[in-house]
């Protein structure tokens, strides 16, 4: 199961990187269209869709690498037992919030599909299509928080530390 979950987080990170490349390609295509009047419309919208997909798909991967912003000032000032309780409490709250977030992003994509909602831009893309990567990213983030919560409760969680902590600039 551990290998599957780590693979899931890694795959989400790779997918985020691919969507970042998609963002770059759409921006370059938009620039080329403006310079040479190629008739490529909607590149700005697709760049935005790719950027949103990249952001959401990168959430779990970033969490598991210890790169999310954490305010650990209180954690360093309390005992080990209190630190563990605070970690469990914060992971429980994060799991609940990310679960609600995942539920509502799935619901949004389904409603966009059900109502045949399309973008207001020139591309007229059905909105459920760019909302799917957002929902997938939110679900994977929820899974990552549940994973961290269970590992913390079982005493097997190894919090990934960011290299940023090593730099003191």
């Amino acid at each position: 199961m551990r290998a599957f979950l780590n693979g899931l987080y890694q795959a989400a990170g790779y997918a985020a990187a691919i969507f970042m490349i998609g963002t770059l390609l759409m921006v370059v295509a938009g620039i080329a269209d403006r310079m040479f009047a190629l008739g490529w419309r909607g590149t700005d919208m697709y760049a935005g869709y790719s950027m949103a997909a990249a952001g959401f798909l990168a959430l779990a991967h970033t969490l598991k690498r210890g790169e999310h912003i954490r305010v650990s000032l209180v954690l360093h000032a309390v005992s080990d037992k209190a630190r563990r309780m605070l970690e469990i409490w914060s992971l429980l709250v994060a799991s609940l919030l990310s679960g609600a977030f995942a539920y509502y992003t799935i619901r949004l994509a389904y409603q966009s599909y059900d109502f045949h909602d399309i973008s207001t831009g020139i591309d007229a893309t059905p909105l459920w299509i760019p909302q799917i990567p957002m929902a997938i990213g939110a679900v994977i983030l929820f899974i990552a928080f549940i994973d961290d919560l269970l590992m913390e409760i079982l005493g097997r969680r190894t919090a990934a530390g960011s290299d940023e902590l090593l730099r003191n600039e």
Side-chain angles (χ1 to χ4, degrees), residues 5 7 9 20 27 32 49 52 58 76 86 93 97 102 107 145 147 161:
L5 289 174
Y9 308 138
M20 285 297 292
V27 168
Y49 300 151
H76 294 299
L86 285 171
V93 170
L97 290 174
R107 184 174 164 194
F145 273 123
D147 179 21

Side-chain angles (χ1 to χ4, degrees), residues 1-105:
M1 183 62 125
R2 173 62 30 215
F4 170 76
L5 289 174
N6 289 341
L8 177 66
Y9 308 138
Q10 193 69 24
Y14 284 134
I18 290 168
F19 277 107
M20 285 297 292
I21 293 168
T23 302
L24 170 69
L25 293 175
M26 289 298 105
V27 168
V28 169
I31 292 169
D33 177 52
R34 287 181 194 94
M35 289 178 65
F36 304 112
L38 298 171
W40 297 339
R41 301 291 178 237
T43 56
D44 293 341
M45 299 296 285
Y46 289 114
Y49 300 151
S50 290
M51 193 178 336
F56 278 89
L57 288 167
L59 287 172
H61 184 262
T62 305
L63 173 71
K64 294 311 247 180
R65 291 181 47 94
E67 299 292 331
H68 279 210
I69 296 172
R70 286 179 54 123
V71 180
S72 57
L73 183 64
V74 174
L75 292 177
H76 294 299
V78 297
S79 69
D80 287 341
K81 185 176 180 179
R83 181 179 307 126
R84 187 163 186 272
M85 288 293 117
L86 285 171
E87 286 282 359
I88 290 172
W89 178 80
S90 65
L91 288 168
L92 179 63
V93 170
S95 296
L96 292 172
L97 290 174
S98 64
F101 187 53
Y103 170 77
Y104 284 107
T105 55

Side-chain angles (χ1 to χ4, degrees), residues 84-162:
R84 187 163 186 272
M85 288 293 117
L86 285 171
E87 286 282 359
I88 290 172
W89 178 80
S90 65
L91 288 168
L92 179 63
V93 170
S95 296
L96 292 172
L97 290 174
S98 64
F101 187 53
Y103 170 77
Y104 284 107
T105 55
I106 292 168
R107 184 174 164 194
L108 175 68
Y110 176 74
Q111 287 177 338
S112 293
Y113 174 80
D114 195 34
F115 299 149
H116 304 288
D117 198 10
I118 60 170
S119 71
T120 57
I122 197 166
D123 61 323
T125 300
L127 286 178
W128 64 270
I129 295 171
Q131 289 169 351
I132 286 175
M134 181 176 84
I136 291 170
V139 168
I140 296 172
L141 178 65
F142 173 61
I143 292 168
F145 273 123
I146 293 294
D147 179 21
D148 274 359
L149 175 63
L150 292 175
M151 290 295 105
E152 184 67 36
I153 290 170
L154 296 173
R156 290 190 273 166
R157 181 169 172 248
T158 55
S162 169

